[in-house]
Structures are given as structure tokens and as C-alpha cells.
Amino acid sequence: MNNHFKRTLVTTALPYANGPVHLGHLAGVYLPADIYVRFKRLQGEDIVHIGGSDEHGVPITITADKEGISPQDVVDRYHSMNLDAFERCGISFDFYGRTSSEGHLRTAQEFFREINSKEIFVKKKERHFFDPQTKRFLSDRYVTGTCPICGYPEANGDQCEQCGTHLSPRELIDPRSKLSDEIPELRETLHWYFPLGRFQGPLEDYVNSHTSDWRTNVLNYTATWLKQGLADRAITRDLHWGVPVPVDNDEARGKVLYVWFDAVLGYISFTREWSEKRGTPELWREYWQNPDCRIVHFIGKDNVVFHTLMFPAILMAWNEGRDKDVYSLADNVPASEFMNFEGRKFSKSRNYAVYLGEFLDKFPADTLRYTIAMNYPENKDSDFSWQDFQNRTNGELADTLGNFIKRSIDFTNTKFNGEVPYECAKEDWLALGIDWEDCFGRLEKAYEEFRFRDVTTLTMQIARAANRFLTDSEPWKVLKTNPDAAARTMSLSVNLCYTLSIAWYPVIPHTANRIYTMLGFSETLDDALKNGNASWDMAKSPQLKRGHRLSEQSEILFRKIEDKDIAPELEKIEHLLAEVERKEEAAKKSMCFKPEISFDDFLGVDLRVATVTACEKVKKADKLLKLQLKVGSQNRQVLAGVAQSYSPESIIGKNVVLVANLAERKIRGELSQGMILAVEGNDGKLNLVEVSGSGINGKNVQ
């Protein structure tokens, strides 16, 4: 942490309040944030942890429509459910807000008015689908139809769930409204856009100032967007649920702020609500408008550009022309990769998930926190499996940490009347064979660099060293011949218990509190931290003096997980996988995989190398580029849906693969004479199939 920061504000991505959070959410955002926050509290730092529910957007209204209830009913249910799960898991928010609150509405509208008064927004008239029966404009997910790529008849207006193609509603064949099943009409509507391109230069400067401390994945995702060039992005939608656009005229009637714009402002509105709740209504400014505060956004990789480009651009727009009440930008955005489940990606839509609340009904929170921390998806996707969970709980938590704590306290209680029998000196502590300065130095560095897998591994190494020390010293044997040596061993052991209670507090706080209580303290470790009676530095040296009395009661910290305990979970996986495979097979049958063809049929497809000579965007089509191609002696025009992956100028000069004998068709009034080949990556980016070599233009692809 940079020395000039006096305080830290930590925010966590806002989960949609339209379903329960699962272990993938916990691993990617909330657990790493909580580990970091607890560590900083141990260090005595002024740190605030802000989270909350994202309660606006189309997914919530769709859930409400399906269940025949109001959107407020939906968000009330899932906000409470998820907050309860977080609390049971030990996620220690200072404030957990809601974007449906009055406080958030005021903040979001305040930002809109400020930016609108500077005439930064761009207003555009567009033709969107309108349901004449319900008299509502239809957002993308409210339109369904046949996928133009695979022919799936129930594709949504934003994406086909069968083949995964990203779509716009107007690309669907035979579109219809999900509200009434009627054929929608195209009607003109007006929307406000945020001109991200206006802030491209300042955003590039901002990102470039963090090339040495941001994660590679964050820099790469962000650089891709910057390289393509930032375009205008809509910030309003025609919906009945959300923050109303604060413009007092007919233009804004029936419009709300787009959820991407209003949700990130929740970090600010929630901090303000936290400040008001404390009785210090202006305190929030010390975290958002004081350069002495470090701001850290914990997110998953799918939210990177919202926090490295879009949210900073909103704050830049607010700050423009101001010399006071200026907002600070985030110092770091530690985005995780994904945690998968038994080798497959967590999926709410397919119900392939382990939900946090249901997990905590069966197993202790700390066993989950530990397993996830040891598999934290920092630089690449990781995996949660029930077998790994069982093995780590039994072999590492129970046999190593739990075994050492119980043996140390039980033997001291039994043989030394529950009192620390020896005054540990510095020389005794150093003689344990642990280089304490190096050990805690590496731990602190790992925390500061958000390497929580290393944090957990290093902390377990202390537990292993303590366990080895007790086992090798054999005080149960030595006591008969050298009681003073046995007393020294046990005094060092219970002091190691104290060190472990502090060191483990960020990762497994419930267990740390139990160890602390077993050591005979009248307050919990949570309270000791608040009262200034415990700290990170106190873990580095012996704290239990001779004569300190332990609790008379010890407990088994971790019950071993038997095969029978996880058998129902493994059986459930089989059912889930069977259902996933059934859906995948159905996808194949619905032409996601095209029907088998003969070799002669394949030879009938004319694949040629074409060179892009010119390229431009197609008007009123976010995803289409119009390419001019040279194919041997011919010139062709082709429309390709790659505008969100490539800028027009970046394609010019590329040698691409053209399906040259595909029948011509008109798209958006433009003639398309063929199709170019591209592949979609895991990040959703389309990658053109390119060919290198000399003298290849117009040649057949063999």
C-alpha cells in the first residue's frame, strides 16, 4: 500500500437481486475482499467495506413477470436471502445497500443532472421494438424469435442460448414480444448516450498509470476496448422499473437509467448511506473525495471494463470543470478469473451451481472459506470439487490446524492446571526455527498484492511448523524426566495458538474467534480488535505471559467430513450433469451443430482468401461492419457482425476467409455478397480467421 494513503475504501461488485448467490460469486469477489478487509483491520487501518444489491434491470422484471409479482417483491426476497448468506459466511460488510433505496435514487439522479447540465450526454432517436398490445417498448430480453445463425426458435433478443451468438433484437427472424406473444412494431424512441470516446485520452492516461500494479487480465481486457476505440453507450432504457430519468418533459417519460450507469453509482450512494447511519453525514467525502483514501474495487473478470473505463468516465464527467467535490478514481481493480464447479462453469440459467445459503445449511463456513481461498482464481480459472473440499477439510484443517490447537490446550489444561507454565523469551521464540520476520514479511506482501492463495498457503505453513514442533518435542514423554523443558514446550505451543488465531483471522474468522476464546480471553477476537486489545503485530511475538489462564473447555475445531456426508452432493452433480448433457444434446438436435454432410457437399463450399480494402460501420447497427473485399480480380461487399470486436480501421489490410459462393442477401438495406469466417473466444470477442502468405489473394482454401 502506498504510504500517502491514510484510509481505504473497498467495494464489491453488486450481485443481481434476482437469484441466490453461488460459490462462484463468493470465490471471485466477496471472499477475497473480506480477507483483505479483515487483514487491514488487524493492522489498525481505517478501512470501510461497502457492498449491496443491484436491484434494477431487465433480469429482475423478467423474473417478476414470470412469477406474477412485482419487481419490488423479487428484490426484497433475494436481497434478504443473499445478505443472510453473506453474514453466515462471515463476509464483514460495513454497509450492504440497495439500489432501489431512496438514497441511491437521489445519488444516481444527481449524477445525471450534473453531467446533463454540462451537455456531455448525446441524445439519439432510434427505432426500437414496441408491443402495441401492452403499449411498451421492448428491451432486448423481452424480444424472442428464431436465431439467424442456428435456427433455434426461442432465441432471446440479446443472445441465443443454444449457439451462444450475441444478437440484437432486430437480427431475430420472426420476432415476437414475450409480454403478449404479438409481433412487435418498430417505433421511434429517444435515448441518452454517454460519449465514452470523449474521455478516451484521460482514460488511457489513467490505465497507463497502473500498468505496474494492476493484474494482467485487467490491463488486457481494458486495452482491448481502448484499442478498438470507445463509442457512445446508451444510459437510458424504456422500462417501468429503475431510477427515473430526471428530466421534466415528455422526452423522459417512461424511461429509466440503464443499469450499467446506475449500479456503479451504488458504491457512492451506499457509502453516503453508511455515513448518514453513523450520524456523520459528510464523512463519506473522506473516502470518495479525499486523495488520502485508497479505493479498491473487487470484481469478477466479466465486470472489468465497467470499473476501469465506464465508472471512471462517469466520475471524470462529474469532475469536469470542478475545483471542489471532486471524486477520486480507483487505485486498484483486482479482478478474479472464474471458479468453475466440478470442471464446468457455474450457470444459474442451467441450475448448475452450488448456492451459498444451501451450502452453509450443511457445512461450516470456514471450511468453505479455506477451500476457496486455497483455490482462489487469481490468474486463471480454478475449480471447486467436493473431493477437494473433503480432503482439505480433513487433511489440512482437522489433522494439522485443529489437531495442534486441541493438543496444545488440552495438555496444558491437564498437566499444568490450565496455566501458561513458562515465560517465553525472545530467544525461545526464535529457537522455534521459524524466521518470523521473513514469514510475516512474505504474508504482508501477499496481502498487499491480493495473492490470497499464497496468503492461505503461507498461513498453513505456520500451522504445520507448529504441529511439527509439538510432535517432535514430545512433552508427554519429557514431562516425566524434565518438567521444565515440557513447560517451555507448552508455553511456546499455546503462544503459537495465539499467533495462529491472529494469522488465520482474515481467512477463517469463526475459527480464529474460537481459538482466541479457548485461550482464555473474556472477549472475542472481533471485540478485541475493536477495543485495541489485539493486532496483526501482536501475532509476531509471544503474548501469553506465565500464569495466564486458559479456558477450561476446549473443542474440536473441525469435524471430519465422511464420504456419506458428500455422497448426496456427488449424486446431485450426476443429476445436474445429466440435465446439462440432455440440454446439450437437444442443442445439437436443434441445429446448433449442423447436420452431417458428405465430402462432395463440403467440396461445394467455395472458401477463398479475400483482402479487406475498406471498412466502415453500418448505421444504426451496433454489431455490423461493412467490408469491401478484393477477391482475385473481383470486388465484393460483405456485412459482418464483428463491430464489437474490431474497429473498422483495424481490419483494413487483413487477409480473411470468405465463403464466396453463398447466396447474396440484404441486411439492413445493404447487400452482403458472402460471409467471412470468425471464431468466438471465451471472453465473447470474435476473432477473424486470418491467412498469412504472399500471392494468396483469391486462392482457394484447401
Side-chain angles (χ1 to χ4, degrees):
M1 177 175 171
N2 296 335
N3 292 331
H4 72 274
F5 292 119
K6 295 181 179 179
R7 61 190 65 82
T8 298
L9 173 70
V10 165
T11 72
T12 47
L14 312 184
Y16 256 138
N18 72 323
V21 291
H22 55 61
L23 301 196
H25 298 130
L26 181 71
V29 178
Y30 309 103
L31 180 59
D34 188 67
I35 291 173
Y36 180 75
V37 167
R38 287 179 181 273
F39 167 69
K40 286 299 183 182
R41 289 177 184 150
L42 278 169
Q43 289 191 313
E45 184 169 316
D46 177 356
I47 187 165
V48 176
H49 185 186
I50 298 295
S53 296
D54 183 352
E55 299 188 341
H56 294 140
V58 175
I60 287 160
T61 59
I62 287 179
T63 299
D65 290 339
K66 285 180 178 177
E67 297 187 23
I69 58 178
S70 72
Q72 190 67 56
D73 291 333
V74 174
V75 299
D76 286 348
R77 176 204 305 163
Y78 289 113
H79 172 81
S80 298
M81 179 187 296
N82 290 336
L83 178 56
D84 175 70
F86 284 139
E87 289 176 343
R88 291 165 63 196
C89 196
I91 307 301
S92 54
F93 295 107
D94 287 288
F95 188 83
Y96 193 78
R98 309 180 65 174
T99 59
S100 64
S101 70
E102 285 297 319
H104 176 70
L105 182 145
R106 287 194 300 271
T107 297
Q109 291 187 334
E110 180 182 276
F111 266 81
F112 182 94
R113 290 191 185 97
E114 173 72 15
I115 299 172
N116 195 43
S117 70
K118 297 174 181 177
E119 298 183 347
I120 291 175
F121 293 138
V122 177
K123 291 194 287 187
K124 299 181 183 182
K125 289 186 177 180
E126 305 166 328
R127 287 163 62 80
H128 285 188
F129 278 129
F130 181 85
D131 186 330
Q133 182 170 321
T134 61
K135 295 181 172 53
R136 280 174 55 179
F137 278 100
L138 302 173
S139 299
D140 45 18
R141 296 192 189 187
Y142 275 103
V143 182
T144 187
T146 300
C147 174
I149 305 302
C150 72
Y152 179 59
E154 299 296 331
N156 290 321
D158 61 342
Q159 185 177 19
C160 175
E161 289 192 6
Q162 291 289 11
C163 67
T165 301
H166 292 281
L167 303 167
S168 67
R170 293 176 67 174
E171 291 177 289
L172 294 173
I173 300 169
D174 299 326
R176 61 189 185 278
S177 167
K178 284 187 178 180
L179 295 175
S180 65
D181 204 37
E182 294 294 321
I183 297 173
E185 302 173 356
L186 282 171
R187 292 194 185 181
E188 189 174 81
T189 183
L190 179 142
H191 283 290
W192 280 258
Y193 278 73
F194 188 95
L196 282 171
R198 172 174 175 163
F199 299 94
Q200 173 129 1
L203 287 169
E204 288 177 344
D205 292 341
Y206 166 57
V207 174
N208 289 336
S209 70
H210 288 287
T211 53
S212 64
D213 56 326
W214 283 7
R215 286 179 175 166
T216 301
N217 64 343
V218 174
L219 293 170
N220 288 344
Y221 288 133
T222 306
T224 298
W225 278 62
L226 289 171
K227 185 178 180 180
Q228 293 172 6
L230 301 178
D232 297 349
R233 189 173 180 90
I235 64 158
T236 60
R237 300 194 89 174
D238 292 300
L239 275 176
H240 64 286
W241 175 252
V243 176
V245 174
V247 175
D248 190 19
N249 58 36
D250 288 341
E251 288 182 338
R253 194 181 309 279
K255 299 186 191 301
V256 299
L257 298 182
Y258 208 156
V259 69
W260 78 261
F261 181 87
D262 104 81
V264 289
L265 294 173
Y267 302 141
I268 296 172
S269 66
F270 299 163
T271 312
R272 294 173 75 165
E273 290 183 55
W274 163 80
S275 183
E276 291 168 1
K277 187 177 180 181
R278 285 170 53 96
T280 52
E282 295 302 306
L283 181 60
W284 68 274
R285 297 185 187 276
E286 292 299 310
Y287 297 88
W288 280 105
Q289 297 179 344
N290 189 330
D292 288 341
C293 181
R294 182 190 198 197
I295 299 172
V296 182
H297 299 313
F298 281 88
I299 57 170
K301 65 181 178 181
D302 51 343
N303 272 323
V304 166
V305 294
F306 291 100
H307 293 77
T308 60
L309 296 177
M310 297 179 194
F311 188 30
I314 293 171
L315 298 180
M316 288 176 181
W318 171 282
N319 294 342
E320 194 171 279
R322 283 180 169 268
D323 54 10
K324 64 176 184 177
D325 298 337
V326 173
Y327 283 88
S328 302
L329 305 186
D331 181 68
N332 212 316
V333 186
S336 71
E337 297 294 305
F338 290 144
M339 174 169 276
N340 298 320
F341 172 44
E342 297 284 355
R344 287 176 174 264
K345 185 179 177 181
F346 281 93
S347 173
K348 271 188 180 181
S349 62
R350 297 191 175 199
N351 198 34
Y352 187 76
V354 178
Y355 295 106
L356 179 57
E358 293 179 359
F359 185 100
L360 298 176
D361 289 339
K362 302 168 186 174
F363 301 100
D366 279 359
T367 57
L368 174 63
R369 288 176 64 110
Y370 176 80
T371 301
I372 286 180
M374 285 296 268
N375 292 287
Y376 174 55
E378 178 184 327
N379 297 314
K380 61 181 180 180
D381 289 357
S382 64
D383 194 63
F384 177 89
S385 74
W386 285 108
Q387 193 66 60
D388 182 66
F389 169 70
Q390 181 186 26
N391 291 341
R392 291 193 183 278
T393 299
N394 294 350
E396 295 166 17
L397 291 178
D399 287 346
T400 300
L401 176 60
N403 182 48
F404 169 72
I405 299 295
K406 184 155 179 56
R407 285 197 300 163
S408 298
I409 292 176
D410 282 354
F411 194 81
T412 304
N413 276 335
T414 302
K415 302 301 181 181
F416 294 99
N417 197 33
E419 293 184 356
V420 177
Y422 174 87
E423 189 75 21
C424 294
K426 183 177 181 181
E427 305 82 59
D428 298 307
W429 196 244
L430 295 176
L432 285 168
I434 300 172
D435 186 335
W436 292 105
E437 183 176 348
D438 176 70
C439 174
F440 277 88
R442 286 188 294 148
L443 259 176
E444 289 160 10
K445 190 173 189 293
Y447 273 111
E448 296 294 353
E449 295 176 355
F450 310 109
R451 292 184 285 109
F452 302 113
R453 184 184 296 204
D454 288 348
V455 161
T456 313
T457 300
L458 288 167
T459 309
M460 184 53 77
Q461 286 177 5
I462 301 174
R464 288 195 176 99
N467 209 24
R468 281 196 302 272
F469 164 73
L470 181 59
T471 299
D472 293 346
S473 299
E474 297 183 317
W476 43 89
K477 292 183 180 179
V478 174
L479 182 65
K480 299 175 183 178
T481 58
N482 191 345
D484 288 343
R488 176 180 176 275
T489 295
M490 296 319 300
S491 294
L492 284 168
S493 293
V494 292
N495 269 288
L496 282 168
C497 291
Y498 179 91
T499 290
L500 287 168
S501 72
I502 301 291
W504 277 118
Y505 178 75
V507 181
I508 46 176
H510 304 93
T511 301
N513 272 293
R514 291 163 68 193
I515 296 171
Y516 195 78
T517 301
M518 288 160 63
L519 289 172
F521 293 100
S522 59
E523 59 184 351
T524 65
L525 182 50
D526 289 326
D527 290 336
L529 288 172
K530 294 175 185 176
N531 298 330
N533 296 327
S535 70
W536 178 255
D537 284 342
M538 291 173 70
K540 302 176 184 180
S541 60
Q543 299 296 318
L544 305 183
K545 305 299 182 182
R546 181 178 181 179
H548 174 87
R549 178 165 289 279
L550 308 181
S551 170
E552 295 180 1
Q553 300 296 323
S554 69
E555 57 178 307
I556 296 174
L557 291 176
F558 302 99
R559 297 284 180 183
K560 289 199 172 184
I561 297 174
E562 305 294 336
D563 289 346
K564 64 181 181 180
D565 297 325
I566 63 170
E569 310 307 325
L570 295 173
E571 185 178 346
K572 187 183 296 183
I573 291 172
E574 291 183 11
H575 290 305
L576 290 174
L577 286 174
E579 181 63 16
V580 169
E581 289 169 2
R582 185 192 67 76
K583 290 182 178 180
E584 288 176 349
E585 186 62 30
K588 292 179 183 179
K589 292 179 179 179
S590 67
M591 294 181 62
C592 279
F593 290 90
K594 296 181 175 65
E596 184 179 282
I597 61 174
S598 69
F599 184 69
D600 288 340
D601 289 334
F602 173 71
L603 291 178
V605 180
D606 191 357
L607 300 177
R608 302 263 179 171
V609 177
T611 304
V612 183
T613 58
C615 183
E616 61 182 296
K617 290 186 176 181
V618 177
K619 294 180 180 179
K620 298 182 179 180
D622 294 339
K623 300 178 182 179
L624 290 177
L625 293 181
K626 182 166 64 176
L627 285 66
Q628 304 302 326
L629 306 176
K630 177 178 173 56
V631 194
S633 60
Q634 293 185 16
N635 294 314
R636 294 279 190 98
Q637 175 175 289
V638 169
L639 270 65
V642 296
Q644 294 183 341
S645 300
Y646 292 91
S647 61
E649 58 272 15
S650 69
I651 294 182
I652 296 173
K654 290 184 182 295
N655 288 322
V656 297
V657 177
L658 171 73
V659 182
N661 61 339
L662 190 67
E664 297 179 353
R665 66 169 178 159
K666 278 197 171 184
I667 304 175
R668 299 290 179 88
E670 297 280 359
L671 186 65
S672 185
Q673 300 168 299
M675 176 187 293
I676 60 171
L677 303 186
V679 179
E680 183 179 5
N682 289 335
D683 58 358
K685 181 180 182 295
L686 292 172
N687 301 275
L688 291 174
V689 177
E690 298 182 50
V691 185
S692 60
S694 59
I696 59 175
N697 181 268
K699 297 293 180 66
N700 288 107
V701 176
Q702 302 296 322

